[in-house]
Amino acid sequence: MLPVNKWSCLVTGAGGFLGQRIVRLLLEEEQELEEIRLLDKVFSPQLLLEFSELKHKTKVTVLQGDILDEELLHSACQGVTAVIHSASIIDTGLWRKKDIIMNVNMKGTQLLLEACIAADVPIFLYTSSVEVAGPNSYMKSVRNGHEDDLLESKWNNAYPYSKKLAEKAVLAADGQLLRNGTILHTCSLRPVYIYGEGSIFLQYEINCALKNDKTFARKSEGSMANQVYVDNVAWAHILALRTLRDPEKAQSIGGHFYYITDDTPPQSYSDFNYEVSKEWGFKLGSKIGIPITLLYWAAFILEMISFMLSPILIYEPPFNCHLITLTNSVFTLSYKKAKEDLGYEPRVSWLEAKKKTSQWIGTLVAKNRENLKIKAP
Protein backbone atom coordinates (compact mmCIF):
# COMPACT_ATOMS: atom_id res chain seq x y z
CA MET A 1 0.00 0.00 0.00
CA LEU A 2 1.18 3.52 -0.80
CA PRO A 3 1.18 6.18 1.94
CA VAL A 4 -1.93 8.38 2.24
CA ASN A 5 -2.22 10.85 -0.67
CA LYS A 6 0.67 9.15 -2.45
CA TRP A 7 -0.11 7.60 -5.80
CA SER A 8 1.54 5.89 -8.74
CA CYS A 9 1.08 6.01 -12.50
CA LEU A 10 1.84 3.86 -15.54
CA VAL A 11 2.39 5.70 -18.83
CA THR A 12 2.44 3.68 -22.04
CA GLY A 13 4.17 5.13 -25.08
CA ALA A 14 6.37 6.98 -22.58
CA GLY A 15 9.29 7.22 -25.01
CA GLY A 16 7.20 8.77 -27.78
CA PHE A 17 6.66 12.33 -28.99
CA LEU A 18 3.68 12.97 -26.70
CA GLY A 19 4.38 10.37 -24.03
CA GLN A 20 7.69 11.86 -22.97
CA ARG A 21 6.03 15.28 -22.55
CA ILE A 22 3.38 13.72 -20.31
CA VAL A 23 6.10 12.09 -18.21
CA ARG A 24 8.00 15.37 -17.84
CA LEU A 25 4.91 17.17 -16.59
CA LEU A 26 4.04 14.39 -14.17
CA LEU A 27 7.54 14.55 -12.69
CA GLU A 28 7.54 18.34 -12.56
CA GLU A 29 3.98 19.02 -11.39
CA GLU A 30 2.76 16.08 -9.29
CA GLN A 31 4.51 16.37 -5.95
CA GLU A 32 2.69 13.39 -4.41
CA LEU A 33 3.55 11.03 -7.24
CA GLU A 34 5.31 8.14 -5.49
CA GLU A 35 6.24 6.13 -8.57
CA ILE A 36 5.94 6.46 -12.33
CA ARG A 37 6.30 3.43 -14.58
CA LEU A 38 7.34 4.06 -18.15
CA LEU A 39 6.38 1.48 -20.75
CA ASP A 40 7.50 1.56 -24.38
CA LYS A 41 9.37 -0.55 -26.90
CA VAL A 42 12.21 1.96 -27.31
CA PHE A 43 13.77 4.63 -25.07
CA SER A 44 16.68 6.82 -26.08
CA PRO A 45 19.55 6.95 -23.55
CA GLN A 46 19.30 10.77 -23.52
CA LEU A 47 15.63 10.62 -22.60
CA LEU A 48 16.21 8.18 -19.73
CA LEU A 49 18.97 10.43 -18.40
CA GLU A 50 16.65 13.42 -18.53
CA PHE A 51 13.91 11.57 -16.67
CA SER A 52 16.35 10.52 -13.96
CA GLU A 53 17.43 14.13 -13.48
CA LEU A 54 13.82 15.34 -13.24
CA LYS A 55 12.52 12.69 -10.92
CA HIS A 56 13.26 14.32 -7.54
CA LYS A 57 11.48 12.11 -5.00
CA THR A 58 9.56 10.11 -7.57
CA LYS A 59 10.70 6.58 -8.30
CA VAL A 60 11.07 6.05 -12.05
CA THR A 61 10.68 2.48 -13.29
CA VAL A 62 11.47 1.76 -16.94
CA LEU A 63 9.62 -1.15 -18.53
CA GLN A 64 10.87 -1.79 -22.05
CA GLY A 65 8.51 -4.10 -23.88
CA ASP A 66 5.52 -4.65 -26.13
CA ILE A 67 1.96 -3.50 -25.47
CA LEU A 68 0.84 -6.96 -26.65
CA ASP A 69 2.88 -8.71 -23.93
CA GLU A 70 0.11 -9.75 -21.51
CA GLU A 71 2.48 -10.88 -18.77
CA LEU A 72 4.31 -7.55 -18.88
CA LEU A 73 1.05 -5.59 -18.76
CA HIS A 74 -0.26 -7.46 -15.73
CA SER A 75 3.03 -6.93 -13.93
CA ALA A 76 3.15 -3.24 -14.88
CA CYS A 77 -0.36 -2.62 -13.52
CA GLN A 78 0.15 -4.23 -10.11
CA GLY A 79 -0.16 -1.63 -7.36
CA VAL A 80 -0.72 1.24 -9.78
CA THR A 81 -3.23 4.03 -9.06
CA ALA A 82 -3.70 5.29 -12.62
CA VAL A 83 -2.85 4.45 -16.22
CA ILE A 84 -2.28 6.89 -19.07
CA HIS A 85 -2.40 4.94 -22.33
CA SER A 86 -0.74 6.99 -25.06
CA ALA A 87 0.98 4.16 -26.95
CA SER A 88 -0.22 4.01 -30.55
CA ILE A 89 0.81 3.55 -34.17
CA ILE A 90 -0.25 6.44 -36.41
CA ASP A 91 -0.53 5.85 -40.14
CA THR A 92 -2.48 7.26 -43.10
CA GLY A 93 -2.11 4.26 -45.40
CA LEU A 94 -4.74 1.87 -46.68
CA TRP A 95 -3.02 -1.53 -46.27
CA ARG A 96 0.41 -0.58 -44.96
CA LYS A 97 0.98 -2.12 -41.50
CA LYS A 98 -2.77 -2.78 -41.20
CA ASP A 99 -2.48 -5.91 -39.04
CA ILE A 100 0.17 -4.32 -36.81
CA ILE A 101 -1.89 -1.15 -36.37
CA MET A 102 -5.05 -3.06 -35.47
CA ASN A 103 -3.14 -5.23 -33.01
CA VAL A 104 -1.29 -2.41 -31.24
CA ASN A 105 -4.05 0.20 -31.23
CA MET A 106 -7.08 -2.00 -30.60
CA LYS A 107 -5.94 -5.30 -29.14
CA GLY A 108 -3.19 -3.64 -27.11
CA THR A 109 -5.71 -1.27 -25.55
CA GLN A 110 -8.06 -4.14 -24.72
CA LEU A 111 -5.25 -6.16 -23.12
CA LEU A 112 -4.13 -3.17 -21.04
CA LEU A 113 -7.70 -2.50 -19.96
CA GLU A 114 -8.09 -6.13 -18.87
CA ALA A 115 -4.80 -5.94 -16.95
CA CYS A 116 -6.01 -2.80 -15.16
CA ILE A 117 -9.28 -4.45 -14.16
CA ALA A 118 -7.43 -7.56 -12.93
CA ALA A 119 -5.09 -5.36 -10.85
CA ASP A 120 -7.92 -3.14 -9.47
CA VAL A 121 -6.55 0.01 -11.11
CA PRO A 122 -9.33 2.61 -10.70
CA ILE A 123 -8.25 5.19 -13.33
CA PHE A 124 -7.69 4.71 -17.07
CA LEU A 125 -6.98 7.76 -19.26
CA TYR A 126 -6.86 7.08 -23.00
CA THR A 127 -5.15 9.15 -25.69
CA SER A 128 -7.53 8.95 -28.62
CA SER A 129 -7.50 10.98 -31.84
CA VAL A 130 -9.55 13.54 -33.73
CA GLU A 131 -9.77 10.94 -36.50
CA VAL A 132 -12.25 9.03 -34.36
CA ALA A 133 -14.63 11.91 -35.18
CA GLY A 134 -13.79 12.58 -38.81
CA PRO A 135 -13.79 14.37 -41.19
CA ASN A 136 -16.00 12.09 -43.27
CA SER A 137 -16.50 14.31 -46.31
CA TYR A 138 -14.55 17.18 -47.86
CA MET A 139 -17.88 18.59 -49.07
CA LYS A 140 -19.36 18.99 -45.57
CA SER A 141 -17.91 21.65 -43.27
CA VAL A 142 -17.65 21.28 -39.49
CA ARG A 143 -16.75 24.50 -37.67
CA ASN A 144 -16.12 24.63 -33.92
CA GLY A 145 -17.50 21.14 -33.51
CA HIS A 146 -18.08 19.94 -29.97
CA GLU A 147 -18.64 16.73 -28.07
CA ASP A 148 -22.45 16.94 -28.17
CA ASP A 149 -22.34 16.80 -31.98
CA LEU A 150 -21.50 13.07 -31.62
CA LEU A 151 -19.28 13.11 -34.68
CA GLU A 152 -18.05 9.64 -35.67
CA SER A 153 -15.62 8.51 -38.35
CA LYS A 154 -16.98 6.28 -41.10
CA TRP A 155 -13.54 5.18 -42.32
CA ASN A 156 -12.33 1.58 -42.25
CA ASN A 157 -8.68 2.54 -42.68
CA ALA A 158 -6.66 0.87 -39.93
CA TYR A 159 -5.72 3.95 -37.90
CA PRO A 160 -9.08 5.74 -37.47
CA TYR A 161 -10.95 2.43 -37.21
CA SER A 162 -8.63 0.96 -34.58
CA LYS A 163 -8.69 4.15 -32.50
CA LYS A 164 -12.48 4.30 -32.68
CA LEU A 165 -12.90 0.72 -31.50
CA ALA A 166 -10.30 1.15 -28.76
CA GLU A 167 -11.93 4.32 -27.46
CA LYS A 168 -15.35 2.69 -27.37
CA ALA A 169 -13.95 -0.19 -25.30
CA VAL A 170 -12.30 2.21 -22.86
CA LEU A 171 -15.37 4.39 -22.36
CA ALA A 172 -17.69 1.38 -22.08
CA ALA A 173 -15.58 0.11 -19.16
CA ASP A 174 -16.33 3.18 -17.07
CA GLY A 175 -18.28 2.49 -13.90
CA GLN A 176 -17.20 -1.15 -13.62
CA LEU A 177 -17.02 -2.44 -10.05
CA LEU A 178 -13.55 -3.79 -9.29
CA ARG A 179 -12.83 -6.72 -7.00
CA ASN A 180 -11.56 -4.49 -4.19
CA GLY A 181 -14.83 -2.55 -4.14
CA THR A 182 -13.59 0.54 -6.01
CA ILE A 183 -15.10 1.85 -9.25
CA LEU A 184 -13.18 2.06 -12.51
CA HIS A 185 -13.37 5.51 -14.12
CA THR A 186 -12.22 6.00 -17.70
CA CYS A 187 -11.87 9.04 -19.92
CA SER A 188 -10.62 9.75 -23.45
CA LEU A 189 -8.86 12.78 -24.94
CA ARG A 190 -9.07 13.47 -28.66
CA PRO A 191 -6.19 15.75 -29.67
CA VAL A 192 -6.11 17.20 -33.17
CA TYR A 193 -2.92 17.23 -35.30
CA ILE A 194 -0.08 17.54 -32.77
CA TYR A 195 2.98 19.61 -33.67
CA GLY A 196 6.14 20.76 -31.95
CA GLU A 197 9.81 19.93 -31.57
CA GLY A 198 10.44 16.30 -32.45
CA SER A 199 7.30 15.69 -34.52
CA ILE A 200 8.17 12.98 -37.05
CA PHE A 201 5.33 14.11 -39.32
CA LEU A 202 6.45 17.73 -39.38
CA GLN A 203 10.05 16.59 -39.82
CA TYR A 204 8.97 14.52 -42.82
CA GLU A 205 7.31 17.58 -44.41
CA ILE A 206 10.40 19.71 -43.75
CA ASN A 207 12.71 17.11 -45.28
CA CYS A 208 10.50 16.83 -48.37
CA ALA A 209 10.53 20.62 -48.77
CA LEU A 210 14.31 20.73 -48.35
CA LYS A 211 14.61 18.34 -51.29
CA ASN A 212 12.34 20.65 -53.31
CA ASP A 213 14.20 23.95 -52.95
CA LYS A 214 12.52 24.65 -49.57
CA THR A 215 9.10 24.55 -51.21
CA PHE A 216 6.10 22.81 -49.68
CA ALA A 217 3.71 21.04 -52.01
CA ARG A 218 0.33 22.72 -51.69
CA LYS A 219 -1.82 19.71 -50.81
CA SER A 220 -5.09 21.49 -50.23
CA GLU A 221 -6.98 24.60 -51.21
CA GLY A 222 -9.64 26.13 -48.98
CA SER A 223 -9.29 23.51 -46.26
CA MET A 224 -9.11 24.36 -42.57
CA ALA A 225 -8.12 22.24 -39.59
CA ASN A 226 -6.88 22.59 -36.02
CA GLN A 227 -3.27 22.06 -35.01
CA VAL A 228 -2.28 21.79 -31.34
CA TYR A 229 1.10 22.20 -29.66
CA VAL A 230 2.38 19.04 -28.00
CA ASP A 231 2.97 20.59 -24.55
CA ASN A 232 -0.66 21.71 -24.43
CA VAL A 233 -1.84 18.17 -25.17
CA ALA A 234 0.39 16.85 -22.39
CA TRP A 235 -1.03 19.46 -20.00
CA ALA A 236 -4.57 18.36 -20.86
CA HIS A 237 -3.60 14.83 -19.79
CA ILE A 238 -2.36 16.09 -16.42
CA LEU A 239 -5.60 17.99 -15.81
CA ALA A 240 -7.77 15.06 -16.89
CA LEU A 241 -5.82 12.77 -14.58
CA ARG A 242 -6.28 15.16 -11.66
CA THR A 243 -10.00 15.26 -12.34
CA LEU A 244 -10.22 11.47 -12.46
CA ARG A 245 -8.35 11.27 -9.15
CA ASP A 246 -11.01 13.41 -7.49
CA PRO A 247 -13.79 10.94 -6.45
CA GLU A 248 -16.59 13.47 -6.96
CA LYS A 249 -15.39 14.91 -10.25
CA ALA A 250 -14.49 11.49 -11.64
CA GLN A 251 -18.15 10.52 -11.76
CA SER A 252 -18.98 13.52 -13.93
CA ILE A 253 -16.28 12.96 -16.56
CA GLY A 254 -16.10 9.16 -16.42
CA GLY A 255 -17.06 7.59 -19.74
CA HIS A 256 -16.67 10.89 -21.61
CA PHE A 257 -14.31 12.11 -24.34
CA TYR A 258 -12.87 15.58 -24.87
CA TYR A 259 -11.46 17.40 -27.89
CA ILE A 260 -8.07 18.94 -27.21
CA THR A 261 -7.07 21.95 -29.30
CA ASP A 262 -5.43 25.26 -28.41
CA ASP A 263 -5.20 28.81 -29.77
CA THR A 264 -3.18 27.91 -32.85
CA PRO A 265 -5.17 29.55 -35.69
CA PRO A 266 -7.08 26.95 -37.76
CA GLN A 267 -5.54 26.70 -41.22
CA SER A 268 -4.71 24.19 -43.91
CA TYR A 269 -1.84 21.81 -43.20
CA SER A 270 0.17 23.36 -46.04
CA ASP A 271 -0.32 26.87 -44.68
CA PHE A 272 0.63 25.67 -41.20
CA ASN A 273 3.86 24.08 -42.45
CA TYR A 274 4.76 27.35 -44.15
CA GLU A 275 3.82 29.48 -41.13
CA VAL A 276 6.16 27.67 -38.72
CA SER A 277 9.08 27.48 -41.19
CA LYS A 278 9.02 30.69 -43.27
CA GLU A 279 11.70 32.22 -41.06
CA TRP A 280 14.16 29.78 -42.66
CA GLY A 281 13.27 30.65 -46.26
CA PHE A 282 10.59 28.03 -46.88
CA LYS A 283 7.79 28.82 -49.30
CA LEU A 284 4.52 27.42 -50.61
CA GLY A 285 4.24 25.88 -54.05
CA SER A 286 1.78 27.01 -56.68
CA LYS A 287 -1.91 26.30 -56.30
CA ILE A 288 -3.18 22.82 -57.03
CA GLY A 289 -4.38 22.51 -60.59
CA ILE A 290 -6.28 19.24 -60.16
CA PRO A 291 -9.82 19.60 -58.71
CA ILE A 292 -10.35 17.86 -55.38
CA THR A 293 -13.27 15.88 -56.77
CA LEU A 294 -11.04 14.42 -59.46
CA LEU A 295 -8.34 13.57 -56.87
CA TYR A 296 -10.93 11.84 -54.70
CA TRP A 297 -12.26 9.69 -57.54
CA ALA A 298 -8.73 8.84 -58.61
CA ALA A 299 -8.11 7.68 -55.05
CA PHE A 300 -11.31 5.65 -55.14
CA ILE A 301 -10.25 3.88 -58.35
CA LEU A 302 -6.81 3.14 -56.88
CA GLU A 303 -8.47 1.67 -53.80
CA MET A 304 -10.65 -0.59 -55.97
CA ILE A 305 -7.58 -1.79 -57.85
CA SER A 306 -5.85 -2.40 -54.54
CA PHE A 307 -8.84 -4.37 -53.25
CA MET A 308 -9.04 -6.55 -56.37
CA LEU A 309 -5.33 -7.30 -56.19
CA SER A 310 -5.37 -8.06 -52.45
CA PRO A 311 -5.85 -11.86 -52.77
CA ILE A 312 -2.56 -12.13 -54.65
CA LEU A 313 -0.70 -8.87 -54.01
CA ILE A 314 -0.65 -6.09 -51.43
CA TYR A 315 -0.71 -2.84 -53.37
CA GLU A 316 -0.51 0.36 -51.34
CA PRO A 317 -1.92 3.32 -53.34
CA PRO A 318 0.12 6.55 -53.18
CA PHE A 319 -2.96 8.27 -51.72
CA ASN A 320 -6.43 7.18 -50.63
CA CYS A 321 -9.91 8.62 -50.08
CA HIS A 322 -9.40 9.04 -46.35
CA LEU A 323 -6.16 10.99 -46.80
CA ILE A 324 -7.68 13.23 -49.50
CA THR A 325 -10.62 13.96 -47.19
CA LEU A 326 -8.41 14.55 -44.17
CA THR A 327 -6.27 17.15 -45.92
CA ASN A 328 -9.00 18.90 -47.90
CA SER A 329 -11.83 19.43 -45.41
CA VAL A 330 -13.04 22.27 -43.27
CA PHE A 331 -13.06 20.52 -39.89
CA THR A 332 -12.41 22.54 -36.74
CA LEU A 333 -13.21 21.73 -33.13
CA SER A 334 -13.60 23.56 -29.83
CA TYR A 335 -11.93 22.85 -26.48
CA LYS A 336 -14.78 24.55 -24.57
CA LYS A 337 -15.98 21.37 -22.88
CA ALA A 338 -12.44 20.44 -21.80
CA LYS A 339 -12.17 23.92 -20.30
CA GLU A 340 -15.45 23.54 -18.43
CA ASP A 341 -14.98 19.99 -17.13
CA LEU A 342 -11.20 19.64 -16.83
CA GLY A 343 -10.15 23.24 -16.26
CA TYR A 344 -8.07 23.02 -19.43
CA GLU A 345 -6.49 26.17 -20.83
CA PRO A 346 -3.49 26.08 -23.17
CA ARG A 347 -0.28 26.60 -21.22
CA VAL A 348 1.74 27.61 -24.26
CA SER A 349 0.53 30.43 -26.50
CA TRP A 350 0.47 30.18 -30.27
CA LEU A 351 3.31 32.70 -30.57
CA GLU A 352 5.52 30.79 -28.13
CA ALA A 353 4.66 27.43 -29.70
CA LYS A 354 5.45 28.77 -33.17
CA LYS A 355 8.76 30.21 -31.93
CA LYS A 356 9.86 26.94 -30.31
CA THR A 357 8.80 24.88 -33.32
CA SER A 358 10.54 27.26 -35.73
CA GLN A 359 13.77 27.11 -33.70
CA TRP A 360 13.68 23.32 -33.91
CA ILE A 361 13.10 23.50 -37.67
CA GLY A 362 16.21 25.69 -37.80
CA THR A 363 18.25 22.80 -36.39
CA LEU A 364 16.88 20.52 -39.13
CA VAL A 365 17.92 23.06 -41.78
CA ALA A 366 21.40 23.33 -40.27
CA LYS A 367 21.74 19.55 -40.13
CA ASN A 368 20.69 19.28 -43.78
CA ARG A 369 23.28 21.92 -44.71
CA GLU A 370 26.01 19.97 -42.93
CA ASN A 371 24.98 16.73 -44.64
CA LEU A 372 25.21 18.43 -48.04
CA LYS A 373 28.73 19.65 -47.22
CA ILE A 374 29.79 16.13 -46.27
CA LYS A 375 28.37 14.67 -49.50
CA ALA A 376 29.94 17.37 -51.68
CA PRO A 377 33.06 16.19 -53.63
Side-chain angles (χ1 to χ4, degrees), residues 49 183 334:
L49 177 61
I183 301 295
S334 168

Side-chain angles (χ1 to χ4, degrees), residues 200-365:
I200 58 173
F201 298 103
L202 184 52
Q203 184 171 350
Y204 171 79
E205 294 293 339
I206 294 297
N207 288 337
C208 287
L210 286 170
K211 294 175 182 177
N212 189 34
D213 192 29
K214 288 189 176 180
T215 302
F216 291 108
R218 195 185 292 266
K219 299 179 180 179
S220 55
E221 196 66 42
S223 65
M224 187 176 292
N226 298 106
Q227 296 85 25
V228 61
Y229 185 59
V230 61
D231 286 0
N232 289 329
V233 180
W235 180 235
H237 281 74
I238 304 304
L239 295 175
L241 190 59
R242 289 177 180 175
T243 307
L244 286 170
R245 290 182 59 229
D246 184 315
E248 294 183 5
K249 293 180 180 179
Q251 294 184 12
S252 64
I253 74 163
H256 291 265
F257 64 85
Y258 295 88
Y259 294 118
I260 305 300
T261 67
D262 60 15
D263 299 324
T264 302
Q267 55 201 300
S268 73
Y269 295 109
S270 299
D271 287 340
F272 171 80
N273 292 337
Y274 167 70
E275 188 64 31
V276 294
S277 65
K278 61 183 179 182
E279 177 184 348
W280 304 103
F282 286 84
K283 46 193 178 290
L284 271 173
S286 58
K287 294 183 179 181
I288 297 176
I290 305 174
I292 295 173
T293 302
L294 187 58
L295 280 173
Y296 187 89
W297 282 107
F300 177 78
I301 292 171
L302 289 174
E303 287 191 24
M304 291 300 99
I305 294 172
S306 177
F307 177 76
M308 288 186 289
L309 289 174
S310 61
I312 57 172
L313 174 69
I314 298 299
Y315 164 62
E316 180 66 42
F319 54 93
N320 55 67
C321 294
H322 172 238
L323 183 59
I324 294 297
T325 301
L326 191 65
T327 54
N328 289 279
S329 298
V330 174
F331 195 78
T332 64
L333 301 160
S334 168
Y335 66 80
K336 181 180 178 181
K337 187 171 175 61
K339 180 178 181 180
E340 293 172 349
D341 291 3
L342 310 178
Y344 167 73
E345 296 247 12
R347 266 189 142 191
V348 183
S349 69
W350 158 235
L351 291 179
E352 185 179 354
K354 180 168 67 169
K355 179 180 178 181
K356 289 183 175 181
T357 304
S358 179
Q359 288 174 342
W360 170 69
I361 290 172
T363 66
L364 299 180
V365 173

